[in-house]
Amino acid sequence: MRRAERLLEFWRGRFGSLYLRVFLLFLAVCVLFFVGLALFWNMYFQNFFYKDKQEFLKKGYVEVTKLLAPFQEGTLSTRELRMATRIVARGVNGRIFLVDDKGVILNGSTENETFKLPPTLEKSLGSGLEGKSGFLFDQPPSERRPGDKRPMDTLLTYYAPAQIGGETIVVFLQVPVAEIRQTISVIRLIILLPLLFSLLAVGLLLYFISRRMTAPLKQMNELASAIEQGDLSLRVPVTSKDEVGELAESFNRVVDRLQEWEGTRQEFLAQVSHELRSPLTSLRGLISAMRDGIIEPDKYGHYFRICESEVRRLERLVQELLDLARIQNGAGLRELKPVDMVAQTGEVLDVMREIFARKRLELSERVDVPAGEGLFASLDADRYAQIVHNLLYNAVQFTPEGGAVKVRLEGKADKAVLTVSDTGIGMTAEEIQRIWEKFHKVDRTRGGTTEGVGLGLTIVKHLVEAMNGRITVQSRPGEGTSFYVEFARVNGRGGGGYPGGKPGDSVSSAG
């Protein structure tokens, strides 16, 4: 039983190969084609030779009927009829019988007069007496010698009616088909041998072609197994420009992306570990110092505030990581609906004014929307407020005391644009390319406070794109930075106020 199971598993493994299945499929198609071709040529030549012999017999029958007219007139004797019939029989390389309605041979090319017609021809005799003609294959058992085991040669027989003295007789013409069969056998051999050699050549060609066609697929399978083990260094060689080659190129691109994502994942884990390790190390050091009495009790309040700050930093990091994960997975947005950007931005500004005042930054806002119109876009109101908050918080971090931050809302024909500009430290072109990366922070030596964890702008970009918007940035070192957020403008219902004044007014708030 186990041996049978192993054998079955072996054959499943052998025929489970794609290239072998492709090869066997192509080979089966070719075999069917060659078999069909062989059958066609066999039937064609059979019909050709037998039809030629049948026409020959019909001509012999016409010659015999021409002899019957002078025989009835008495100008041709029975003996002369027999001699003439023999001549016609030699012409067709066979024999001829003239049979009456009783089945008795009246005359012919043999010495069988007065003999009964063989039983195998009685049915044909009846058809001939009814005025019909036709062909059949017959073996004359009456001519088999006793004890002769050799197979009798098959005869092709043609029968047709004729008239003698007003009575209907049947003329039988018979020729052996051995020569025809020998000729057809030779032709079959002539056809079969080239077909067999052609099939062998085609089979070998299909074998190599199928292996070549499926080789990239096999390599991709091996590469997939290597990827499963963590090896992303292998690539499938692209050797053609067909669909298999395109699949190999696509597979290589997927592996490149996987390698890129793996690098990003490793970097992300390293960055998260670093961001977590720093406050945890500070907390552990401070707690150990207070426990061991290194820090005096009268200074506990100061160091407790430091511990609280580090805990808030950890809390903010975890919250932003979870928030970013939800946004990237498409679960961070509620249903989008028309939101008045002017009113929503005003609410965020009201919350942020105290922060600007503490750092003594000037905050100005401008709304460039015609009077009586709102500035609506299809948004998640809370997520839009988060975008404005993060951009303003970013401006606070990198704008020195005494600087200014400007917020502008502008309504165009089909777009609603939010602009947040500051007079802060600015960024180089290289830094602009990296500000959307996770945990990227501006160099501390350039004057930024960098209290954040480097996820604020990453979250902003994902939120803007999730709400079908577009965000761009312009900045120069020492000249400040401007962020431009664009959304498709829609019609909205309801007013919503214009915080800080009417559209077109400029309002300032200084700390």
Side-chain angles (χ1 to χ4, degrees):
M1 186 66 179
R2 293 181 179 178
R3 184 177 180 182
E5 291 177 354
R6 287 197 298 268
L7 184 61
L8 181 61
E9 188 67 25
F10 169 78
W11 282 109
R12 284 178 178 175
R14 298 288 289 180
F15 288 98
S17 173
L18 177 61
Y19 90 85
L20 187 57
R21 292 203 302 268
V22 171
F23 165 70
L24 292 177
L25 177 61
F26 286 167
L27 185 61
V29 172
C30 291
V31 168
L32 290 176
F33 172 76
F34 282 118
V35 169
L37 188 62
L39 291 175
F40 168 76
W41 284 115
N42 180 66
M43 293 180 61
Y44 174 80
F45 283 109
Q46 273 191 330
N47 292 335
F48 176 78
F49 285 108
Y50 279 113
K51 187 175 182 180
D52 182 66
K53 187 63 70 173
Q54 289 171 355
E55 293 296 328
F56 206 44
L57 290 177
K58 287 181 180 180
K59 291 180 180 179
Y61 166 75
V62 173
E63 294 297 327
V64 172
T65 56
K66 289 179 180 180
L67 296 174
L68 295 179
F71 176 73
Q72 294 182 75
E73 295 173 356
T75 58
L76 190 66
S77 65
T78 301
R79 183 174 179 275
E80 290 172 337
L81 177 61
R82 183 182 303 113
M83 295 299 296
T85 304
R86 287 178 178 177
I87 294 173
V88 176
R90 290 193 186 100
V92 297
N93 195 25
R95 59 187 179 180
I96 301 173
F97 300 135
L98 304 179
V99 185
D100 64 9
D101 58 353
K102 301 295 191 299
V104 178
I105 299 175
L106 301 176
N107 204 325
S109 61
T110 64
E111 301 291 341
N112 292 332
E113 286 87 348
T114 72
F115 282 84
K116 291 285 291 185
L117 191 68
T120 55
L121 298 177
E122 289 179 355
K123 185 176 180 180
S124 302
L125 175 63
S127 297
L129 293 174
E130 294 175 357
K132 301 176 182 178
S133 61
F135 293 92
L136 72 151
F137 290 96
D138 175 51
Q139 289 184 348
S142 60
E143 296 185 0
R144 183 185 293 275
R145 295 179 181 178
D148 190 355
K149 301 297 184 179
R150 293 176 299 174
M152 296 296 294
D153 186 20
T154 301
L155 301 173
L156 175 62
T157 302
Y158 176 67
Y159 62 92
Q163 294 289 327
I164 294 181
E167 294 184 1
T168 302
I169 65 170
V170 179
V171 179
F172 286 88
L173 296 92
Q174 293 183 325
V175 292
V177 296
E179 294 182 359
I180 299 177
R181 290 184 173 179
Q182 289 176 359
T183 304
I184 292 176
S185 297
V186 172
I187 292 176
R188 285 174 180 169
L189 186 62
I190 293 173
I191 294 174
L192 186 59
L193 288 178
L195 287 180
L196 288 177
F197 282 113
S198 299
L199 183 60
L200 179 60
V202 170
L204 292 175
L205 184 62
L206 288 176
Y207 177 77
F208 289 111
I209 290 177
S210 60
R211 284 187 67 90
R212 182 176 178 83
M213 287 177 57
T214 57
L217 301 179
K218 185 177 181 181
Q219 290 174 332
M220 278 185 266
N221 182 44
E222 295 173 352
L223 179 58
S225 299
I227 292 174
E228 185 179 4
Q229 302 299 324
D231 186 1
L232 298 176
S233 62
L234 301 177
R235 297 295 183 274
V236 178
V238 180
T239 57
S240 62
K241 295 296 183 180
D242 55 11
E243 289 80 359
V244 176
E246 292 176 358
L247 178 61
E249 290 180 350
S250 300
F251 194 91
N252 289 338
R253 287 195 295 270
V254 170
V255 178
D256 290 338
R257 292 295 301 273
L258 286 175
Q259 193 172 35
E260 179 182 345
W261 290 341
E262 178 62 18
T264 303
R265 185 182 71 87
Q266 295 291 345
E267 182 181 359
F268 178 76
L269 290 176
Q271 291 170 337
V272 170
S273 299
H274 173 74
E275 293 293 336
L276 290 173
R277 188 183 302 113
S278 179
L280 288 175
T281 301
S282 299
L283 287 170
R284 185 177 62 182
L286 290 173
I287 293 172
S288 297
M290 287 185 287
R291 182 193 62 195
D292 297 337
I294 298 176
I295 297 177
E296 297 178 0
D298 59 342
K299 296 182 179 180
Y300 280 3
H302 170 69
Y303 287 103
F304 276 139
R305 285 192 294 273
I306 296 176
C307 290
E308 183 183 7
S309 175
E310 293 298 323
V311 170
R312 285 199 302 268
R313 181 181 173 187
L314 280 173
E315 182 182 11
R316 185 166 58 249
L317 171 61
V318 172
Q319 183 60 41
E320 290 189 353
L321 283 173
L322 293 174
D323 201 18
L324 180 60
R326 286 194 297 269
I327 295 170
Q328 289 179 327
N329 292 330
L333 294 178
R334 294 180 297 182
E335 182 181 358
L336 303 183
K337 58 183 179 180
V339 172
D340 189 350
M341 293 173 58
V342 176
Q344 197 70 27
T345 303
E347 293 179 4
V348 178
L349 292 176
D350 288 341
V351 174
M352 296 286 293
R353 290 184 193 281
E354 182 181 353
I355 297 175
F356 280 86
R358 284 203 303 266
K359 198 172 179 182
R360 288 180 289 184
L361 296 176
E362 180 183 354
L363 174 63
S364 63
E365 52 183 311
R366 181 180 181 86
V367 180
D368 292 333
V369 180
E373 293 185 12
L375 187 60
F376 287 87
S378 184
L379 306 170
D380 179 331
D382 293 338
R383 290 301 189 181
Y384 173 74
Q386 185 178 0
I387 291 172
V388 178
H389 178 275
N390 285 4
L391 290 177
L392 291 174
Y393 188 79
N394 185 76
V396 170
Q397 281 190 296
F398 298 102
T399 303
E401 291 186 5
V405 176
K406 300 179 181 179
V407 178
R408 180 183 180 185
L409 289 165
E410 182 181 5
K412 298 183 179 180
D414 58 348
K415 293 187 181 299
V417 183
L418 165 70
T419 304
V420 178
S421 303
D422 62 58
T423 59
I425 62 175
M427 293 180 289
T428 64
E430 291 77 11
E431 288 176 329
I432 291 177
Q433 296 297 323
R434 299 194 60 194
I435 58 173
W436 312 116
E437 296 178 8
K438 302 180 185 70
F439 301 108
H440 176 71
K441 299 179 182 180
V442 175
D443 188 358
R444 294 175 182 267
T445 61
R446 298 189 50 231
T449 60
T450 63
E451 294 179 358
V453 295
L455 292 175
L457 292 180
T458 304
I459 293 175
V460 166
K461 183 175 178 62
H462 280 87
L463 286 176
V464 171
E465 292 177 349
M467 292 187 288
N468 305 313
R470 178 172 174 264
I471 183 169
T472 56
V473 60
Q474 292 181 354
S475 182
R476 289 184 179 180
E479 298 182 10
T481 302
S482 296
F483 287 92
Y484 303 90
V485 182
E486 297 181 357
F487 294 106
R489 190 174 182 182
V490 299
N491 295 324
R493 296 180 179 273
Y498 295 93
K502 294 180 181 181
D505 294 343
S506 178
V507 182
S508 300
S509 175

